[in-house]
Amino acid sequence: MRIATFNINGINSRLPNLLEWLAGTQPDVACLQELKAPQDRFPEGAIEKAGYHAAWVGEARWNGVAILSRHGPPVVTRRALPGDRKDVQSRYLEAAVNGVLVGCLYLPNGNPQPGPKFDYKLAWFERLIAHAGTLFDTEAPVVLAGDYNVVPTEADIYDSRSWKKNALLQPESRAAFARMLDDGWTDALRERFPHEAVYTFWDYLRDGWSRNAGLRIDHLLLNPQAAGRLVDAGVDAGVRGREKASDHAPAWIELRD
């Protein structure tokens, strides 16, 4: 079973790229972030023609998450991250697909920092850690996939010198991600590539793609039941090089049936 995560950076403006990737790789489950579309502007018809059922939570200008499934409609269990009823940003969606519980998340960027946006990022991360704790011992495999907006270590960025003040690299951001790993979640990409540079994001600025000046900020974290079924993981990096591409590339895992 292949489960992928892809920050599409505008689902309607990049729909041809998305459909091409789905046709070429046929993931069983695809978690999408940054839909940048209100609820009624999600391209459900095109997704259905591609062979996928979908659940999504839209937002007018920013954010937005979706879970696509080739195994029938996703059985939605949550449409928001618990812990703050006043938070109306569309950043979390959770559903069961073919026996796997999948959480699709778009963690706040947090820039500029310090400031309220960074405070929101850290508060959201705390809520994620708390909710992940309630899912960890679930008997079913659990996959928390998405754009975490965190570069976990210096090994996950081409060169951190020009990013030192960025919220993605701050000690508090990295510490929160590390706490999830300390709680027992498996970082699937790092498990598959323990010593290699693996990137999922290349900035549009400064010719990031052509220079391979990448960052790893899209992650798939697995509970023990899912980690025990992990067969492979990778990044469809070539998608980033296509015309009018998102600045992210899809990351994926394969789980044994």
Side-chain angles (χ1 to χ4, degrees), residues 110-188:
N111 285 303
Q113 70 81 32
K117 290 187 177 182
F118 190 60
D119 294 341
Y120 173 58
K121 177 192 187 83
L122 297 181
W124 205 96
F125 221 144
E126 290 300 320
R127 290 163 54 203
L128 176 63
I129 291 170
H131 181 56
T134 70
L135 301 177
F136 184 77
D137 291 324
T138 302
E139 293 183 2
V142 180
V143 178
L144 298 178
D147 179 357
Y148 282 69
N149 268 316
V150 176
V151 177
T153 71
E154 292 298 295
D156 298 302
I157 184 170
Y158 70 102
D159 186 341
S160 65
R161 285 177 295 180
S162 62
W163 293 81
K164 288 297 186 182
K165 295 183 179 181
N166 196 287
L168 279 61
L169 278 72
Q170 294 311 298
E172 298 92 336
S173 305
R174 287 177 162 178
F177 189 86
R179 281 169 53 203
M180 292 193 71
L181 302 187
D182 288 343
D183 285 344
W185 292 89
T186 294
D187 179 350

Side-chain angles (χ1 to χ4, degrees), residues 32-257:
L32 306 179
Q33 302 87 39
E34 266 198 285
L35 303 180
K36 295 182 177 179
Q39 191 72 9
D40 61 355
R41 290 288 308 282
F42 184 86
E44 184 177 13
I47 297 298
E48 286 184 351
K49 288 181 180 178
Y52 287 85
H53 299 270
W56 67 94
V57 182
E59 191 172 326
R61 292 184 60 197
W62 312 109
N63 307 321
V65 288
I67 297 177
L68 314 185
S69 166
R70 291 203 302 137
H71 297 277
V75 180
V76 175
T77 54
R78 286 190 180 274
R79 291 186 175 273
L81 188 67
D84 185 354
R85 293 183 179 179
K86 296 182 292 183
D87 184 3
V88 297
Q89 295 191 25
S90 300
R91 293 184 175 275
Y92 188 81
L93 179 64
E94 185 180 292
V97 180
N98 199 31
V100 178
L101 186 63
V102 178
C104 174
L105 63 99
Y106 178 43
L107 204 140
N109 177 282
N111 285 303
Q113 70 81 32
K117 290 187 177 182
F118 190 60
D119 294 341
Y120 173 58
K121 177 192 187 83
L122 297 181
W124 205 96
F125 221 144
E126 290 300 320
R127 290 163 54 203
L128 176 63
I129 291 170
H131 181 56
T134 70
L135 301 177
F136 184 77
D137 291 324
T138 302
E139 293 183 2
V142 180
V143 178
L144 298 178
D147 179 357
Y148 282 69
N149 268 316
V150 176
V151 177
T153 71
E154 292 298 295
D156 298 302
I157 184 170
Y158 70 102
D159 186 341
S160 65
R161 285 177 295 180
S162 62
W163 293 81
K164 288 297 186 182
K165 295 183 179 181
N166 196 287
L168 279 61
L169 278 72
Q170 294 311 298
E172 298 92 336
S173 305
R174 287 177 162 178
F177 189 86
R179 281 169 53 203
M180 292 193 71
L181 302 187
D182 288 343
D183 285 344
W185 292 89
T186 294
D187 179 350
L189 280 175
R190 190 50 69 200
E191 184 78 6
R192 174 65 178 81
F193 302 100
H195 306 297
E196 299 177 45
V198 179
Y199 304 139
T200 64
F201 170 88
W202 295 260
D203 203 333
Y204 293 129
L205 302 176
R206 300 186 295 274
D207 298 319
W209 170 248
S210 63
R211 297 189 297 118
N212 195 29
L215 294 72
R216 189 171 74 96
I217 60 176
D218 304 272
H219 310 295
L220 299 105
L221 300 190
L222 318 181
N223 77 337
Q225 289 79 357
R229 292 171 52 178
L230 182 63
V231 176
D232 200 4
V235 178
D236 295 333
V239 174
R240 175 61 179 84
R242 294 174 182 170
E243 186 177 359
K244 297 182 180 179
S246 168
D247 44 7
H248 295 249
W252 53 267
I253 58 171
E254 286 188 2
L255 301 180
R256 182 175 58 249
D257 292 335

Side-chain angles (χ1 to χ4, degrees), residues 2-66:
R2 177 171 288 215
I3 301 173
T5 181
F6 188 9
N7 181 322
I8 192 63
N9 192 15
I11 191 167
N12 288 305
S13 61
R14 305 191 200 282
L15 186 58
N17 283 20
L18 173 62
L19 297 177
E20 182 182 3
W21 169 68
L22 290 173
T25 62
Q26 296 189 331
D28 297 283
V29 180
C31 298
L32 306 179
Q33 302 87 39
E34 266 198 285
L35 303 180
K36 295 182 177 179
Q39 191 72 9
D40 61 355
R41 290 288 308 282
F42 184 86
E44 184 177 13
I47 297 298
E48 286 184 351
K49 288 181 180 178
Y52 287 85
H53 299 270
W56 67 94
V57 182
E59 191 172 326
R61 292 184 60 197
W62 312 109
N63 307 321
V65 288

